[in-house]
Amino acid sequence: MALVVGMVFDKQTGSGVPTWVWLSLLSLSVVSSLCFYRKLVVQSVLILVAVVMLGGTLMSMKQASLEVEPPWGKKDYTAVVASSPKLNGKALKCDLLVMINGKPMKTMATIERDYDADNLKPGDGILFTSYLNVPANGKKATFDYRSYLLNNGYLATTYIHTDDWCRQAAVMGKLPFITRLKLSALQFRERLLQKYKELGFDDEEYEVLAAMTLGQKSAMSAELKEDYAIAGAGHVLALSGLHLSTIYVFLTLLISVRRRLWYIISQVIIISAIWAYVFIVGMSISVTRAAIMLTVYSLVSMLNRDRISLNTISLAAIIILACNPLTAYDVGCQMSFLAVLSITLFYRPIFYLMPFKWRGILPVKWVWGMFSVSTAAKIGVLPLIAFYFHRISCYSPITDLVIIPLVTVILYGTVLLLLTGFFPLLQAIIGAILIYIVYLLNSFVSSVARLPGVSIENINISLTQLIIAYGVLVLLILLCRYMYKQYVQYKSRRILRIASEN
């Protein structure tokens, strides 16, 4: 929290505090904390102040790196396509790595649609003539598009007409190694998507499977996305902790070992496979965040520590924010951490509300456990959903009882589908089964989306109301913990009194 406070303060001041000032205050705080080593309370406060200064320093440095103005005027540029083009009306949108003075600059490009544009893929090189513009908001825009672009690393925007570009050999040698690796992974993803089509996936089944397993949502229709959002199932389309956890569990069961040394080796293999998958799906913020959390989870498990704790969640957050301070303003990042934090705090109390005699029945325990996880996550993210999306899905915890098992089967089935490439007949059978399961999932979501009272729309809450909502939630948590502590003490005194009387 101290790290975030420093980052938010620097962001809200619009980089009004120079980096050297933050560094000076950071150094002063660190030296002061060392001087008060005998006064632990004072030293602890100074350490927190130092962390606040560190957050301000990191955010100031990040924002300084974004203050790059592209050359003005209409010029010729060479670029590499860095994402799969997405249909946007009569044009296509994609990421370009435009070479400026020998260095790549991430640019949001809009390209007029034609046959050649429709066949652009990640890794393709182009030569175009156009203007590069600094990210800006429209005159009547209600959404802060400029901040969105800058927070996601875009330093320029451009519009390219049909006759103003042509293909050329991609200049890959000038790109950083990680960028080249990412582009190679995206090219591999295109081959996997083509494999889906060859196996008979088309229309809505292909759209959902491509989004759910490979993070390719550009093909999804607006109607299908809206159905998933209204039904409260939009989280299954965004690659995140649910998907990576499923893959992690699958690989753990596949190469599970008991010996300590082999267990460590197996965990290294599994985490390497997870990160390879992250590169394949494009290294979006949400999936990268989930991979970092799983890596921390794996490391603490190898150290025989508590795998899911507040310390583990905090460590993952610190790593992510240190790598990119602007992630603190990403909606997906906020929702992901609040969901995990909420599950950590509320899952057990909700789960133990059911009497033990019912929890002892395995099917009931499994269903109630899934409901408890879903409800616990929703408690933490509900105010945030209302704030950002102005909508609350009323049936979400109940629909998750159907959706999550189907999604789990789809994810496991997709892994088997790709692993059975050497057995065409078996692969075709698995593909046919998957098509039917995805069809069932889409049908269920569409049916739920048309039920009466499925969502509460047009919710408008201010930032102040959002902070108050989470403040009330924190107070309720503290109250419940206090009441539970008092109840335990009461039970202990009663047992002691009965024992003394006997």
Side-chain angles (χ1 to χ4, degrees), residues 358-368:
W358 293 107
R359 283 188 279 115
I361 304 173
L362 189 60
V364 176
K365 179 180 179 181
W366 183 73
V367 173
W368 181 249

Side-chain angles (χ1 to χ4, degrees), residues 237-299:
L237 298 177
L239 290 176
S240 58
L242 171 65
H243 303 78
L244 289 191
S245 298
T246 303
I247 297 173
Y248 180 85
V249 171
F250 180 85
L251 294 176
T252 302
L253 294 174
L254 191 64
I255 56 176
S256 178
V257 289
R258 293 184 178 180
R259 292 186 178 182
R260 182 67 182 167
L261 177 61
W262 289 109
Y263 173 76
I264 295 175
I265 294 174
S266 68
Q267 287 296 306
V268 172
I269 294 172
I270 291 170
I271 293 301
S272 299
I274 291 292
W275 278 103
Y277 176 75
V278 170
F279 274 92
I280 290 173
V281 299
M283 291 191 70
S284 64
I285 293 178
S286 59
V287 73
T288 304
R289 177 183 63 254
I292 291 175
M293 292 192 69
L294 272 178
T295 303
V296 174
Y297 176 91
S298 178
L299 288 174

Side-chain angles (χ1 to χ4, degrees), residues 306 308-311 313 340-350 472-490:
D306 185 7
I308 294 296
S309 66
L310 295 180
N311 283 337
I313 299 170
V340 176
L341 180 63
S342 186
I343 290 171
T344 305
L345 294 174
F346 296 113
Y347 166 70
R348 288 182 179 276
I350 295 175
V472 171
L473 186 60
V474 170
L475 291 176
L476 286 175
I477 293 172
L478 295 176
L479 178 62
C480 291
R481 284 180 175 270
Y482 174 77
M483 292 176 63
Y484 178 74
K485 184 179 179 180
Q486 294 298 314
Y487 173 74
V488 171
Q489 291 178 353
Y490 167 75

Side-chain angles (χ1 to χ4, degrees), residues 376-442:
K378 293 298 186 296
I379 291 174
V381 300
L382 197 62
L384 207 62
I385 292 173
F387 177 72
Y388 282 116
F389 304 106
H390 314 292
R391 166 191 289 161
I392 294 177
S393 299
C394 301
Y395 302 158
S396 183
I398 299 174
T399 55
D400 279 347
L401 297 178
V402 177
I403 291 171
I404 292 180
L406 287 177
V407 170
T408 304
V409 172
I410 291 169
L411 293 175
Y412 285 150
T414 304
V415 175
L416 292 175
L417 181 73
L418 299 176
L419 291 177
T420 53
F422 296 104
F423 305 97
L425 179 60
L426 179 59
Q427 189 178 51
I429 294 173
I430 295 174
I433 295 173
L434 272 178
I435 290 173
Y436 182 68
I437 295 175
V438 177
Y439 168 77
L440 289 178
L441 175 64
N442 289 340

Side-chain angles (χ1 to χ4, degrees), residues 119-344:
N119 288 282
L120 282 175
K121 295 179 180 179
D124 289 348
I126 66 170
L127 173 66
F128 70 94
T129 304
S130 183
Y131 296 92
L132 290 184
N133 304 305
V134 176
N137 293 323
K139 294 182 179 179
K140 297 182 179 180
T142 57
F143 175 68
D144 192 356
Y145 189 58
R146 178 181 181 277
S147 295
Y148 168 79
L149 291 177
L150 291 176
N151 290 347
N152 285 276
Y154 296 97
L155 301 181
T157 62
T158 186
Y159 187 92
I160 305 174
H161 295 277
T162 303
D163 299 329
D164 290 340
W165 73 277
C166 64
R167 292 176 180 268
Q168 70 168 19
V171 187
M172 303 292 286
K174 295 183 179 180
L175 298 177
F177 172 74
I178 295 295
T179 303
R180 296 200 304 271
L181 188 62
K182 178 182 176 181
L183 289 174
S184 298
L186 289 176
Q187 291 170 343
F188 180 67
R189 181 178 74 169
E190 293 297 322
R191 292 195 290 270
L192 292 178
L193 291 171
Q194 184 61 36
K195 187 66 176 178
Y196 286 169
K197 293 180 180 179
E198 293 173 359
L199 291 170
F201 290 91
D202 56 6
D203 299 330
E204 291 186 348
E205 287 74 30
Y206 169 79
E207 296 170 9
V208 171
L209 190 68
M212 191 180 298
T213 60
L214 295 175
Q216 176 62 289
K217 294 193 288 187
S218 59
M220 286 192 68
S221 64
E223 294 79 8
L224 188 59
K225 287 182 181 179
E226 184 68 8
D227 283 349
Y228 272 83
I230 293 174
H235 60 282
V236 304
L237 298 177
L239 290 176
S240 58
L242 171 65
H243 303 78
L244 289 191
S245 298
T246 303
I247 297 173
Y248 180 85
V249 171
F250 180 85
L251 294 176
T252 302
L253 294 174
L254 191 64
I255 56 176
S256 178
V257 289
R258 293 184 178 180
R259 292 186 178 182
R260 182 67 182 167
L261 177 61
W262 289 109
Y263 173 76
I264 295 175
I265 294 174
S266 68
Q267 287 296 306
V268 172
I269 294 172
I270 291 170
I271 293 301
S272 299
I274 291 292
W275 278 103
Y277 176 75
V278 170
F279 274 92
I280 290 173
V281 299
M283 291 191 70
S284 64
I285 293 178
S286 59
V287 73
T288 304
R289 177 183 63 254
I292 291 175
M293 292 192 69
L294 272 178
T295 303
V296 174
Y297 176 91
S298 178
L299 288 174
V300 297
S301 71
M302 288 188 281
L303 296 173
N304 292 323
R305 301 291 297 272
D306 185 7
R307 300 185 187 186
I308 294 296
S309 66
L310 295 180
N311 283 337
T312 305
I313 299 170
S314 299
L315 178 58
I318 289 171
I319 293 173
I320 292 169
L321 292 173
C323 293
N324 183 7
L326 292 173
T327 307
Y329 287 84
D330 179 69
V331 179
C333 181
Q334 296 171 11
M335 292 182 65
S336 177
F337 276 106
L338 281 174
V340 176
L341 180 63
S342 186
I343 290 171
T344 305

